[in-house]
Amino acid sequence: MSEGEWEWVLGNLGVLGDLGVDVGDGGWLGEFYDAQLDEWGVGGENVGLDPNPTINLIGLGLGEHLVRRCGLRWVVVEDGQGAEIAVYGEVGDVLIYPTNVVAKRWVVRERGFLPGFVDDVVRRVDGIRGTAK
């Protein structure tokens, strides 16, 4: 990742910390997502504003959570469509696009998904690596 990309990730993680969000706690991160989804609800004060900074903020928190719990690392993946940030694990060739995960659920206003998603990813990565408990 470039220096600018690192600054973007670290800046967003700093914002989450300033807001009191513990990215090490999947349940707390999920509660924050649900609360933000409520704030961006129909008829709310954010109507007409771009939710992408909030989606990215939560997605980067999710990515950092997976980096910490699964030993993944931040990468930028480029394809014919452009570049996107992801978390990657060499063992098992694990690749997750955390901001995309959040964006897809945000669009359909899916609540309560994040803690279960995190637990499922951790289980799968542990299984791939043969470290499941």
Side-chain angles (χ1 to χ4, degrees):
M1 288 185 19
S2 72
E3 185 176 329
E5 290 158 340
W6 272 116
E7 288 175 5
W8 182 66
V9 170
L10 294 175
N12 277 279
L13 295 176
V15 169
L16 286 170
D18 291 345
L19 293 171
V21 178
D22 178 2
V23 297
D25 182 336
W28 181 212
L29 192 58
E31 288 176 25
F32 181 73
Y33 165 85
D34 287 348
Q36 290 301 304
L37 198 61
D38 289 344
E39 280 191 31
W40 285 84
V42 177
E45 64 184 56
N46 294 320
V47 170
L49 298 178
D50 181 6
N52 283 315
T54 300
I55 292 167
N56 287 333
L57 181 70
I58 297 164
L60 294 171
L62 169 60
E64 183 62 19
H65 182 86
L66 296 173
V67 163
R68 294 178 187 182
R69 282 195 64 193
C70 299
L72 305 178
R73 64 185 170 91
W74 287 103
V75 296
V76 173
V77 179
E78 295 183 36
D79 62 16
Q81 305 274 326
E84 189 169 351
I85 195 157
V87 291
Y88 175 73
E90 204 167 300
V91 176
D93 204 27
V94 175
L95 183 64
I96 300 165
Y97 298 90
T99 57
N100 189 272
V101 167
V102 172
K104 285 184 177 184
R105 279 136 181 109
W106 184 278
V107 168
V108 296
R109 304 200 52 77
E110 183 178 342
R111 297 180 50 79
F113 89 92
L114 211 145
F117 176 85
V118 164
D119 290 344
D120 187 49
V121 168
V122 170
R123 253 189 320 276
R124 288 173 185 243
V125 170
D126 286 349
I128 290 168
R129 293 179 172 168
T131 57
K133 296 175 175 108

